Amino acid sequence: MRYKLILIIFLFSQLTFSQKKSLRVANEQYLKSNYQAVIKKYNKIKTTKYAFQFSDYMKLAHSYYNLGDYYNAKINYNKAFKISTTTTKNHKLNYMHLNLVFNDSLNYQKFSKVFKLSDTAIDKYINKNSSLSDEKIVVKVDSLLNKFNFSEDDHQTYISAIENGFSTNLYKEHDALNFKKLFNFNFEINQGSYSRYKNSDRFLITLNENNGKRMLYRKNKSTLKIYQINVNDSILTPKLISINKKNFNFSNPVFSNDFKKLYFVSDMLGGYGDTDIYMADIELDGSYTNITNLGPRINTSNRERFITLDAENNLYFSSNGHSGLGGLDIFKVNLNKVNASPENLGSEINSKYDEFYYYAKNDTMYYSSNSFGLEKTYVLKYKNAVEKKKPKSLPNEFKQQAIDSMLVLDNNKLLTSTIVEKTVSAPKPVVVKEKVYTKVYHLILGSFRTRKQAEDLKKTLVQQNLGEVQILERTSFGFHRVSIKRYASYRLGGKDLPFYVDLGYFDAWIVPYLVEVKEE
């Protein structure tokens, strides 16, 4: 009995020592902002009987938040704030942001009072990284909410979207209004990225591992696999391609420009990190050989994924292992150059959130992001292309095929019609001008979740004759901003800002808006 007691005490002391060591390592990684390592260490600690403290939940929440995993960030903030609400202002603002992301209005109202945070302060914090600098060479001209993985060819536009809880690939003709399903499966399944064979109706697509209509689970998880499908089949039947291996994920197939190689992402054994980018040769019979890791210049000990390839053989991919701005950043590397190193696309695209699926055509760039908790595709143009007008006119004469006006009908059936080719004089030349945008800087005195509060502030400001009061269009997070003045530059607005702060509007701030220039 005595020896059993000694053994129990020894094992308990060893467990306690191990927990303390793991907590120390987790804290060291947290101080280094190595958030992936923090999460891994705490997940290991969870398997013990250690009782999480307020500081543990906060570190986990902050780590998830900075990696763009808002779901787990909110779970851990919820647990932390049940224990205590004494923390830094940044943690409080992060939590308020998450309440907006998940439409948790009850917690938003409750904790805005507990934290003594105004709507204006929260709106200002959320958008602090969204300002457009005067020095930027690109400007955001549009955004597509809840859309990602944008691309297009000469005839069609392609996107991915969440429909009925599943990611779905869609397409439309350029002149059409609505998108249609690209792949009509007869069962519901998450559809990942895809790539089309040359001059073929066959595609490679990422799907959850499945057997017909049934997904395959191992330990309550379904791995990703790359399948071949033919859109002409009456029933789409996904067929596994040979590169897939059991128990590992394979995704994001991308053909090389000459269709002699296939690039893809996998977490199979032998890689450098969580997920790596690989390449396989495509033989004449369509088989895949010589699977090769792209090496440590591209792959790191963390995640590389979301690959795209342009006509110049530039490989674009997302990574949180190379030097970046936080979360997944988009990098570029030219595969034609031996030993080329990846290049970060910079702060005009990348942020502390996740950016992925970069695509460019002519002077327009598209990339997807979960910035501010909203998944969307941003549309950017080079500044000189936005500011420059490009008049286009029709030629003086053009040939057209027209159906002759005489159509002979019998019992509502077309009997004859004559197609003739005519040379017709064109109408007066039509000048088509690109939209021109400029930046306007609004000085904001207040942001409110209800329109009534905004109207009340507007009424007060009008009575005081303080400026040209205007309630701006409601933001994506539901804030009604009250603008007092508009400026041509941030510098001009900055000169007036102290005046309004002295009047008691302590959270006053300046927000740039991109607006279309209307010509008379």
Side-chain angles (χ1 to χ4, degrees), residues 157-168:
T157 300
Y158 306 90
I159 61 162
S160 298
I162 303 298
E163 291 192 345
N164 300 320
F166 292 89
S167 58
T168 306

Side-chain angles (χ1 to χ4, degrees), residues 278-295:
Y278 289 82
M279 174 185 70
D281 292 330
I282 304 176
E283 303 299 334
L284 292 176
D285 62 359
S287 61
Y288 302 96
T289 61
N290 301 324
I291 295 176
T292 308
N293 188 298
L294 291 194

Side-chain angles (χ1 to χ4, degrees), residues 345-397:
L345 294 193
S347 59
E348 292 173 339
I349 289 177
N350 292 315
S351 71
K352 70 175 184 178
Y353 302 97
D354 291 339
E355 283 75 39
F356 43 96
Y357 285 134
Y358 177 88
Y359 171 79
K361 185 174 182 180
N362 300 327
D363 58 22
T364 306
M365 291 154 282
Y366 305 85
Y367 71 95
S368 303
S369 175
N370 64 1
S371 55
F372 312 111
L374 297 172
E375 204 157 74
K376 62 174 70 174
T377 289
Y378 288 102
V379 184
L380 286 74
K381 280 183 177 288
Y382 287 103
K383 183 183 275 190
N384 60 356
V386 173
E387 294 170 347
K388 185 170 58 177
K389 301 175 186 177
K390 294 181 179 179
K392 297 177 182 178
S393 58
L394 295 173
N396 289 331
E397 289 190 344

Side-chain angles (χ1 to χ4, degrees), residues 329-461:
D329 280 9
I330 300 175
F331 293 82
K332 174 178 93 170
V333 62
N334 191 284
L335 298 177
N336 296 331
K337 298 178 181 178
V338 179
N339 296 327
S341 296
E343 170 191 347
N344 190 300
L345 294 193
S347 59
E348 292 173 339
I349 289 177
N350 292 315
S351 71
K352 70 175 184 178
Y353 302 97
D354 291 339
E355 283 75 39
F356 43 96
Y357 285 134
Y358 177 88
Y359 171 79
K361 185 174 182 180
N362 300 327
D363 58 22
T364 306
M365 291 154 282
Y366 305 85
Y367 71 95
S368 303
S369 175
N370 64 1
S371 55
F372 312 111
L374 297 172
E375 204 157 74
K376 62 174 70 174
T377 289
Y378 288 102
V379 184
L380 286 74
K381 280 183 177 288
Y382 287 103
K383 183 183 275 190
N384 60 356
V386 173
E387 294 170 347
K388 185 170 58 177
K389 301 175 186 177
K390 294 181 179 179
K392 297 177 182 178
S393 58
L394 295 173
N396 289 331
E397 289 190 344
F398 63 95
K399 280 191 173 184
Q400 69 173 20
Q401 275 200 334
I403 297 178
D404 190 69
S405 59
M406 184 181 296
L407 298 177
V408 182
L409 296 175
D410 181 24
N411 293 327
N412 295 321
K413 292 183 179 179
L414 180 65
L415 294 182
T416 61
S417 66
T418 307
I419 298 180
V420 296
E421 189 175 85
K422 299 180 179 179
T423 299
V424 226
S425 295
K428 292 181 180 180
V430 177
V431 177
V432 180
K433 295 181 180 179
E434 287 194 356
K435 291 181 179 179
V436 180
Y437 296 86
T438 188
K439 278 184 283 185
V440 173
Y441 295 82
H442 285 267
L443 200 162
I444 306 298
L445 293 191
S447 298
F448 304 95
R449 294 277 289 164
T450 66
R451 178 81 182 188
K452 184 180 183 305
Q453 289 175 297
E455 293 285 0
D456 289 343
L457 177 58
K458 178 182 177 180
K459 184 177 179 181
T460 300
L461 294 171

Side-chain angles (χ1 to χ4, degrees), residues 245-369:
K245 295 182 180 179
K246 190 176 180 180
N247 297 331
F248 296 104
N249 291 285
F250 291 79
S251 64
N252 205 170
V254 173
F255 287 115
S256 62
N257 290 303
D258 59 6
F259 289 87
K260 293 181 179 180
K261 297 183 184 299
L262 177 71
Y263 299 95
F264 61 94
V265 173
S266 178
D267 61 356
M268 69 173 120
L269 291 177
Y272 294 91
D274 291 345
T275 53
D276 284 13
I277 304 172
Y278 289 82
M279 174 185 70
D281 292 330
I282 304 176
E283 303 299 334
L284 292 176
D285 62 359
S287 61
Y288 302 96
T289 61
N290 301 324
I291 295 176
T292 308
N293 188 298
L294 291 194
R297 284 184 178 271
I298 292 175
N299 294 311
T300 69
S301 59
N302 290 314
R303 294 178 294 165
E304 280 70 45
R305 50 177 44 171
F306 301 120
I307 56 178
T308 58
L309 189 70
D310 69 14
E312 282 72 45
N313 226 24
N314 290 309
L315 180 74
Y316 297 91
F317 64 95
S318 297
S319 171
N320 64 341
H322 295 279
S323 179
L325 302 174
L328 290 169
D329 280 9
I330 300 175
F331 293 82
K332 174 178 93 170
V333 62
N334 191 284
L335 298 177
N336 296 331
K337 298 178 181 178
V338 179
N339 296 327
S341 296
E343 170 191 347
N344 190 300
L345 294 193
S347 59
E348 292 173 339
I349 289 177
N350 292 315
S351 71
K352 70 175 184 178
Y353 302 97
D354 291 339
E355 283 75 39
F356 43 96
Y357 285 134
Y358 177 88
Y359 171 79
K361 185 174 182 180
N362 300 327
D363 58 22
T364 306
M365 291 154 282
Y366 305 85
Y367 71 95
S368 303
S369 175

Side-chain angles (χ1 to χ4, degrees), residues 439-495:
K439 278 184 283 185
V440 173
Y441 295 82
H442 285 267
L443 200 162
I444 306 298
L445 293 191
S447 298
F448 304 95
R449 294 277 289 164
T450 66
R451 178 81 182 188
K452 184 180 183 305
Q453 289 175 297
E455 293 285 0
D456 289 343
L457 177 58
K458 178 182 177 180
K459 184 177 179 181
T460 300
L461 294 171
V462 169
Q463 289 173 347
Q464 295 175 352
N465 197 26
L466 287 177
E468 300 174 8
V469 189
Q470 181 181 357
I471 299 177
L472 304 179
E473 184 178 348
R474 192 182 183 199
T475 71
S476 57
F477 280 113
F479 289 107
H480 301 276
R481 293 174 179 167
V482 181
S483 166
I484 191 70
K485 279 188 178 181
R486 289 154 294 287
Y487 304 90
S489 71
Y490 188 96
R491 183 177 55 82
L492 291 174
K495 289 181 178 180

